[in-house]
């Protein structure tokens, strides 16, 4: 049996969070959507293979969360994709060491493609 890859969607907009989760679940991913993490430990509990983070989480920059993830030893291997309407999303993603970015409004195929792409780049031992 093939293990479903897990995607954590950190997005405070309820509708967008549910739409992204629905799109990815239709493609066979297991998703969990949260408006914002209570702690980095709460991210570990779900054991995501990819984390999608909105650039604006309850008026806080999402890239701060991305930086924390990339500095935390047990999380830094997890690919992070930043979602944003910001014109400078490329720079934001680069500065916070995100693996990829998706500009809003997003294309359904782009989300699926980028999630698959970052998972495919991961060493096999990190995907279990």
């Amino acid at each position: 049996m093939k293990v479903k890859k897990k995607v954590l969607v950190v997005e405070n907009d309820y509708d967008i969070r549910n739409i992204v989760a629905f799109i990815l679940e239709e493609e066979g991913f297991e998703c969990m959507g949260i408006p914002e993490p209570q702690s980095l430990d709460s991210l570990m509990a779900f054991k995501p293979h990819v984390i999608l983070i909105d650039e604006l989480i309850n008026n806080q920059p999402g890239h701060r969360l991305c930086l924390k993830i990339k500095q935390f030893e047990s999380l830094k291997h997890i690919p992070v994709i930043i979602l944003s309407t910001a014109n400078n999303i490329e720079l934001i993603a680069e500065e916070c060491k995100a693996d990829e970015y998706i500009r809003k409004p997003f294309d359904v195929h782009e989300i699926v493609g980028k999630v698959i792409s970052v998972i495919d780049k991961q060493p096999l031992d990190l995907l279990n």
Side-chain angles (χ1 to χ4, degrees), residues 55-100:
E55 174 49 19
L56 193 60
I57 306 169
N58 295 331
N59 299 318
Q60 296 293 316
H63 66 265
R64 285 190 189 160
L65 175 60
C66 179
L67 268 173
K68 284 182 189 173
I69 290 167
K70 293 301 183 177
Q71 292 169 349
F72 203 75
E73 193 60 36
S74 59
L75 294 173
K76 68 181 183 182
H77 69 279
I78 301 171
V80 174
I81 300 173
I82 296 285
L83 298 158
S84 181
T85 57
N87 289 332
N88 62 340
I89 186 170
E90 301 90 346
L91 288 173
I92 292 168
E94 187 178 324
E95 287 176 9
C96 73
K97 299 177 178 37
D99 298 83
E100 196 52 85

Side-chain angles (χ1 to χ4, degrees), residues 9-22 33-35 54 56 58 104:
V9 181
V10 182
E11 164 69 67
N12 61 331
D13 183 298
Y14 177 83
D15 293 329
I16 293 174
R17 186 171 64 240
N18 286 336
I19 288 168
V20 171
F22 177 79
I34 58 173
D54 183 37
L56 193 60
N58 295 331
K104 289 180 182 178

